[in-house]
Amino acid sequence: MRALIVAATGLALAFALVLTITALGTPPGTTSPKPMLTTVPAHP
């Protein structure tokens, strides 16, 4: 029974965390206009 209570408490805390992050919205700022520079390894 204790395990069920602990699991329900953890689930409620996780749900509250998700709701809090959702309420805060996206952080201010913009994305970089420059593309990420990546290289493809040369094939032997």
Side-chain angles (χ1 to χ4, degrees), residues 21-36:
I21 292 173
T22 303
L24 291 176
T26 56
T30 58
T31 57
S32 174
K34 296 180 181 178
M36 290 177 58

Side-chain angles (χ1 to χ4, degrees), residues 2-3 5-6 8 14 16 20 24-26 28-29 31-33 35-36 38-39 41-43:
R2 286 183 183 175
I5 294 170
V6 171
T20 303
L24 291 176
T26 56
T31 57
S32 174
M36 290 177 58
T38 57
T39 57
H43 294 289

